[in-house]
Amino acid sequence: MAKKMRAGFYSLSCCEGCELVVFDLEEKLLKALEFVEIVDARLFDGNHPNEKLDIAIVEGGVQSELDKKHLEEIRERSTYLVAFGACATIAGIPGIRNSLPKEMQAKLNSKAIIPVKEKVFPVPAVVKTDFVLQGCPAFTHELLDLLVALYHGKKPVLENIPVCKECKERENPCLLFEGIPCLGPVTYAGCKALCPTERAQCIGCRGFTEDANFEALRKRFRKMDVDERIIHNLFTYFNQNPFKKEGE
Amino acid sequence: MIQEKFVLKKENLHAFLEALSKDMEVFVPCHNENGATTFLPYNGQEIYTAAQTFYSPKQALNKPSEKEFFFGKKSSSVEVERVKQNGGKMIFGIRPCDTHAVKAFDKLYLEYGEVDPFYREKRDSTLLAALVCTEPCSNGFCHSMGTQEPTGHDLLMVEKADSFYIEAASSKGEELIKKHRGLLNITKFQKPELNFECKKKLDTRNLKEILDKGFFSKVWEEEGKRDLNCTSCTQVCPSCYCFLTLDKFILNTENSERFREWDSCHLQRFTKVAGNHIFRKSRESRLRQFVMHKLSYFQKNNDMMLCIGCGRCISVCPVGIDLTEIAAKIRSEFE
Ligand code: SF4
Ligand code: SF4
Ligand code: SF4
Ligand code: SF4
């Protein structure tokens, strides 16, 4: 076997849930450790800061100057950088504050324990990011697939496919026909339509697809008489407001 | 051909399905655990024959993701191992229109160009027990497409109040009837003429030529604007067959598996080539591909339309895109 890949896990502003779910891999994690060495990770008992890495796996978004410096420093010493989970890829739940009314944002920011930036930034908005692994929490099988592919010298791409495709493969009834607003048509697949299969609408935790037709979906929601506030909240739950106009 | 005519009394239906299930996997129309109607392997569940199923029976033939073969390093050579496709299947209660979708699969995978060995294996061991329709379904237009009578089936069934009329339609079907003769009753009933009319219609006269002329029609742009490209239509369509081939490494080995996965022309990645160039970037071009393939292109290479008129894509579309309406609009513009 070729040389082991050296990996590190890092947390910016987030709940650290994505790193935790890596343990859900169980035996597969043990197998992965045969070709990946985790050299720097708080939860893995391997703190070796400042070491060079083949792959840095970063969860959380950039909320403060501290986050930004930390991220830039990680980028500096890593060959590949992976944004891992919704906070890192699309600003996620903390990013809700970006879509709040201006006065509310100011009030909220003034209450922060450490000084925060005016906005929450996802990782790709701050440093060059090689791979994004979506989801809240992130999907560990996707991390595993990525590690395996990199180990074999391949570069996987995130496929631009909507959740509906997988939802239909699982033969679910469509929630849109039951008056429930679902973000499936505009959200990256890969979760095997986890939420709609459990009869809960997709709330977009895997980010918006590249060619999402937001306007058409919003029209569909309006036709179902969904409250405007609920529509706004749904589109800005995990994602940045796609209807925001330039300069707003 | 057997001279006698048979009925399967409804009280014997489950015994019959159980008996069939001893020899093969029997896909039956039913509700799945999330409440959608589809075809699933029989396990004693209630059978749904009130109307066409929301999902087509195509998963019985082509699963959304299928392993084709395994390949790996073996000292100095590469070893390839075919994955056996599960044999012995029946699609029980397949609707006439859907049997034409199977025929379209046959044309593509078996007759046009190279024979696909994976499909061959699956198809050869699959029996079709067609259930004819006696009432129009919500969005179907089989009468326009000439698909109201089943094709390529082994058994033909007609549902009556307390029984199913059953007739053999192939030698395999005859064998089945002989084998399960004990569960069937002799009847004088004659297969009725089908005399309902579809609610929906599609004028197919010169349709191919008209659509080809309408390639740059404004209709595509108008309809494309509201298209979510959610792929729901291609996913439920019984005759959509496009797939993607991909390899997946097996953890901690030098080995891989090759998969075949459903694709959809509604996706940008469908036409993505080296250098990340995408041929059908706009929504309208992708919607147009879907409709044109169904109602024009396939016919150029095969003597049938790919759309068999089941109407599922219409029922399933969240924004109400309807290919019969698109075709009618283009006809009025270009005829
Ligand atoms: S339930 Fe949601 S994800 Fe599923 S098909 Fe409908 S819109 Fe798409
Ligand atoms: S269905 Fe939507 S919200 Fe649920 S896991 Fe998938 S992407 Fe996330
Ligand atoms: S035509 Fe309708 S069902 Fe098909 S991809 Fe477009 S929006 Fe989805
Ligand atoms: S295109 Fe629509 S109507 Fe035609 S076979 Fe497919 S799902 Fe049925």
Side-chain angles (χ1 to χ4, degrees), chain B residues 52 98 101 139-141 145 233-234 236-240 290 294-295 306-314 323-324:
Chain B
Q52 178 197 57
D98 290 338
N139 281 318
F141 44 102
M145 309 313 282
C233 49
T234 55
V236 299
C237 175
S239 68
C240 270
F290 171 62
K294 292 291 162 187
L295 300 176
L306 187 54
C307 173
I308 51 82
C310 73
R312 286 192 182 90
C313 58
I314 302 163
L323 82 172
T324 65

Side-chain angles (χ1 to χ4, degrees), chain B residues 45-107:
Chain B
Q45 74 268 54
E46 219 174 291
I47 308 300
Y48 174 82
T49 55
Q52 178 197 57
T53 48
F54 184 80
Y55 285 99
S56 82
K58 79 171 163 187
Q59 290 209 16
L61 274 171
N62 286 337
K63 294 222 159 42
S65 173
E66 246 166 15
K67 216 182 273 182
E68 287 186 335
F69 53 83
F70 158 96
F71 61 102
K73 248 191 213 161
K74 218 179 180 191
S75 54
S76 61
S77 64
V78 174
E79 172 199 37
V80 179
E81 200 181 292
R82 274 271 300 275
V83 175
K84 271 256 166 272
Q85 303 301 314
N86 271 346
K89 271 184 215 158
M90 176 191 268
I91 307 178
F92 182 89
I94 184 172
R95 297 284 171 173
C97 60
D98 290 338
T99 62
H100 288 265
V102 176
K103 180 174 158 190
F105 277 7
D106 292 352
K107 290 215 175 271

Side-chain angles (χ1 to χ4, degrees), chain A residues 162-169 172-178 180-187 193 195-197 199-202 217 221, chain B residues 54-55 228 230 232 316 318:
Chain A
V163 170
C164 295
K165 180 169 185 285
E166 295 182 334
C167 190
K168 285 287 179 294
E169 285 169 3
N172 294 320
C174 179
L175 296 165
L176 290 176
F177 287 87
E178 297 169 26
I180 301 170
C182 177
L183 287 185
V186 295
T187 303
C195 301
T197 305
R199 318 281 304 121
Q201 76 249 67
C202 171
L217 187 60
F221 290 169
Chain B
F54 184 80
Y55 285 99
L228 295 167
C230 68
S232 291
V316 85

Side-chain angles (χ1 to χ4, degrees), chain A residues 1 28 31 34-35 144 148 152 154 159-162 164-165 167-173 176-177 185 197 199 211-213 216-217 220, chain B residues 32 34 36 38 55 59 64 225-232 235-236 249 251-254 262-263 267-269 283 286 315-318:
Chain A
M1 216 174 235
K28 283 193 183 141
K31 277 197 163 179
E34 288 170 24
F35 66 94
L144 197 60
V148 172
H152 288 279
K154 294 241 176 197
E159 289 285 9
N160 187 27
I161 294 173
C164 295
K165 180 169 185 285
C167 190
K168 285 287 179 294
E169 285 169 3
R170 298 190 67 170
E171 304 198 325
N172 294 320
L176 290 176
F177 287 87
T197 305
R199 318 281 304 121
D211 57 333
N213 194 345
L217 187 60
R220 181 65 166 84
Chain B
N32 66 15
N34 275 331
T38 182
Y55 285 99
Q59 290 209 16
K225 227 181 262 159
R226 61 197 189 104
D227 193 341
L228 295 167
N229 296 109
C230 68
T231 77
S232 291
Q235 298 291 84
V236 299
F249 288 107
L251 186 60
N252 286 21
T253 67
E254 300 280 305
W262 287 3
D263 209 342
L267 298 173
Q268 286 193 338
R269 76 125 186 233
R283 296 183 198 297
R286 287 177 268 153
S315 314
V316 85
C317 179

Side-chain angles (χ1 to χ4, degrees), chain B residues 82-148:
Chain B
R82 274 271 300 275
V83 175
K84 271 256 166 272
Q85 303 301 314
N86 271 346
K89 271 184 215 158
M90 176 191 268
I91 307 178
F92 182 89
I94 184 172
R95 297 284 171 173
C97 60
D98 290 338
T99 62
H100 288 265
V102 176
K103 180 174 158 190
F105 277 7
D106 292 352
K107 290 215 175 271
L108 176 92
Y109 289 119
L110 305 176
E111 291 163 31
Y112 183 75
E114 292 289 311
V115 171
D116 176 340
F118 298 97
Y119 182 77
R120 171 98 272 167
E121 211 170 291
K122 289 184 283 183
R123 182 68 183 94
D124 283 350
S125 58
T126 302
L127 298 173
L128 305 178
L131 178 63
V132 301
C133 300
T134 47
E135 270 173 59
C137 58
S138 46
N139 281 318
F141 44 102
C142 58
H143 285 214
S144 303
M145 309 313 282
T147 55
Q148 69 274 36

